Amino acid sequence: MKTITSAERELYLTLHHLSQNHPIVNEWLTRLPKWLSTIKDKSRYAHAPAYLSAVNRLPSITREHNRQVDLNADAITIQLDWTKAEFKQTQALLKNLMPWRKGPFIIGNDIHKLHIDTEWHSDWKWNRVAPHLSSLQNRRILDVGGGSGYHGWRMANNSDEYGAKTVIIIDPSCLFYHQFMAVRHFVGDADKNEYGNYRTHYIPVPLEALPKQSQLFDTVFSMGVLYHRPSPFEHLNLLKGQLVKGGELVLETLVVEGDERTVLVPSGRYAKMNNVYFLPSVSALTLWLEKAGFVDVRCVDIDVTSVQEQRATEWMNYQSLADFLDVNDSSKTVEGYPAPMRAVMVARKG
Ligand SMILES: C[S@@+](CC[C@H](N)C(=O)[O-])C[C@H]1O[C@@H](n2cnc3c(N)ncnc32)[C@H](O)[C@@H]1O
């Protein structure tokens, strides 16, 4: 069966299973066919057929490839005994899915190793976040704005030490959906949970498309999304609606220095991004979370993004952070705002 078809089938089965105890999931199931057909609609996404074709032409992986998957490593690693021809074919097809922003991923063996060196060292973010999480073992997780799915794979973790029962990644990007499916192709069955189902799923929709009060997830992640939203309280309320009572929210976003009255709203672009709205101080963000109904709100990490963590690579050859900062003063963006600084907040739904 083709990778995307089997991933969609597994998603359907997981939701169907979930609906037995959670009737709200019937609403997800009703919307699912539309969600999955829209992402293939070339009148909406001109590149969709090319992305699909790249995923469909990846070489088949059989027992002879001795696949070994490590979702618990800084680079998601799929070891394969493959031929030079398979390596070359995969390299060319995955280049059709550029730019690769979130990773890294390693596919292959020491002789023919494909290292997808992504724009972001997403492992660095994960290493800042992971120590502060309640155990993910056996939990149901939603990763909102999950990009290529790198962090979702890390949450799923097939070491069985602390892997989730189910991870659902959502993100409206057609490219990132297909990047996830390309990685899924190589991961194969290696992330199956004890019920024999895939742990890791991807629904190509924005948060706003989900039924609002699903109350399904033990942990909800929103990393790198809040500052893109014109209405931060709407985003926080929608995240809350996806959590079970007492469930954990992990919110990572851009912040600025200041007190609880400090919020930066860039007048135009911020670090050359034209869709940045609200950058609160940590105190203001704490207030927002409490006002939105979260409790035990904690800031567990603050980090100024470095040009080693976000940079142009062979797999993302556009401009990157170094081009977004003032050449004479790297503490400022080219627009004169404070350079990107990120906070990780952890809170519980009260
Ligand atoms: C800066 S990236 C962050 C990716 C990843 N979570 C990380 O932290 O590295 C923001 C992602 O949010 C997605 N996104 C934007 N608006 C969204 C929405 N309303 N719902 C879900 N995802 C959204 C974008 O497509 C993009 O992939």
Side-chain angles (χ1 to χ4, degrees):
M1 201 187 291
K2 290 229 162 37
T3 299
I4 296 185
T5 312
S6 69
E8 289 180 353
R9 181 173 171 278
E10 287 277 339
L11 170 62
Y12 171 79
L13 290 174
T14 295
L15 291 180
H16 187 262
H17 184 71
L18 208 52
S19 70
Q20 318 287 304
N21 293 322
H22 304 275
I24 183 75
V25 181
N26 288 313
E27 264 193 62
W28 289 56
L29 283 165
T30 307
R31 298 180 197 188
L32 188 62
K34 181 97 192 291
W35 288 341
L36 297 179
S37 62
T38 302
I39 204 69
K40 301 178 182 99
D41 178 358
K42 67 175 184 209
S43 67
R44 245 174 217 253
Y45 303 105
H47 291 96
Y51 296 156
L52 180 65
S53 152
V55 175
N56 282 344
R57 284 183 291 143
L58 291 168
S60 299
I61 304 303
T62 65
R63 270 173 192 280
E64 282 65 51
H65 287 93
N66 292 320
R67 167 172 29 208
Q68 281 183 45
V69 177
D70 189 355
L71 304 178
N72 196 26
D74 287 344
I76 303 285
T77 301
I78 300 116
Q79 265 193 51
L80 294 174
D81 292 337
W82 61 356
T83 63
K84 185 174 178 186
E86 288 168 328
F87 160 74
K88 288 271 176 205
Q89 180 191 2
T90 301
Q91 187 176 45
L93 291 168
L94 296 188
K95 289 244 161 148
N96 291 343
L97 298 179
M98 280 174 61
W100 284 81
R101 295 193 184 275
K102 310 292 174 177
F105 302 94
I106 291 176
I107 306 171
N109 55 19
D110 286 344
I111 306 165
H112 304 299
K113 183 185 287 185
L114 194 54
H115 175 202
I116 306 179
D117 186 14
T118 46
E119 177 189 18
W120 283 86
H121 255 295
S122 305
D123 48 322
W124 295 11
K125 184 184 289 193
W126 185 247
N127 290 337
R128 289 194 295 269
V129 169
H132 307 287
L133 303 174
S134 299
S135 168
L136 299 181
Q137 190 176 21
N138 262 323
R139 281 167 84 106
R140 199 176 301 128
I141 297 175
L142 180 69
D143 186 15
V144 175
S148 67
Y150 171 87
H151 292 126
W153 292 116
R154 297 299 305 270
M155 294 163 200
N157 183 351
N158 61 346
S159 75
D160 266 340
E161 222 171 283
Y162 48 92
K165 187 192 295 179
T166 303
V167 178
I168 296 184
I169 301 158
I170 60 165
D171 196 299
S173 161
C174 181
L175 174 62
F176 297 161
Y177 178 68
H178 288 90
Q179 289 179 348
F180 171 85
M181 289 300 170
V183 176
R184 154 62 72 207
H185 176 86
F186 291 104
V187 169
D189 288 351
D191 75 323
K192 283 202 166 172
N193 60 24
E194 71 255 46
Y195 312 102
N197 302 120
Y198 284 176
R199 294 170 200 253
T200 322
H201 305 274
Y202 201 116
I203 309 183
V205 290
L207 176 61
E208 296 72 32
L210 300 182
K212 291 201 174 8
Q213 286 297 327
S214 297
Q215 303 194 32
L216 279 174
F217 297 94
D218 305 301
T219 308
V220 170
F221 290 83
S222 165
M223 302 197 288
V225 185
L226 185 73
Y227 54 87
H228 288 311
R229 301 307 303 153
S231 173
F233 275 93
E234 187 199 358
H235 187 69
L236 297 180
N237 281 327
L238 291 175
L239 296 170
K240 198 172 77 166
Q242 298 304 324
L243 276 167
V244 297
K245 195 167 166 44
E248 189 161 273
L249 173 71
V250 183
L251 180 80
E252 192 258 11
T253 193
L254 290 172
V255 292
V256 291
E257 301 280 359
D259 63 15
E260 64 180 27
R261 295 177 178 203
T262 311
V263 180
L264 169 66
V265 179
S267 60
R269 290 174 179 251
Y270 172 84
K272 295 198 182 171
M273 292 183 281
N274 62 6
N275 56 352
V276 174
Y277 296 93
F278 293 88
L279 279 66
S281 66
V282 168
S283 304
L285 185 54
T286 304
L287 189 71
W288 292 2
L289 284 160
E290 288 170 349
K291 200 173 163 94
F294 291 95
V295 295
D296 300 341
V297 179
R298 295 172 292 140
C299 174
V300 296
D301 187 80
I302 298 184
D303 185 76
V304 175
T305 308
S306 71
V307 293
Q308 286 78 37
E309 181 168 352
Q310 185 191 7
R311 74 279 188 252
T313 67
E314 184 196 337
W315 291 84
M316 197 303 292
N317 53 13
Y318 300 121
Q319 289 193 339
S320 191
L321 183 59
D323 308 290
F324 308 151
L325 299 177
D326 185 329
V327 278
N328 299 314
D329 179 0
S330 64
S331 71
K332 292 200 168 65
T333 68
V334 286
E335 301 87 2
Y337 294 119
M341 177 166 77
R342 294 168 178 268
V344 180
M345 310 293 291
V346 178
R348 254 185 337 104
K349 176 173 172 174

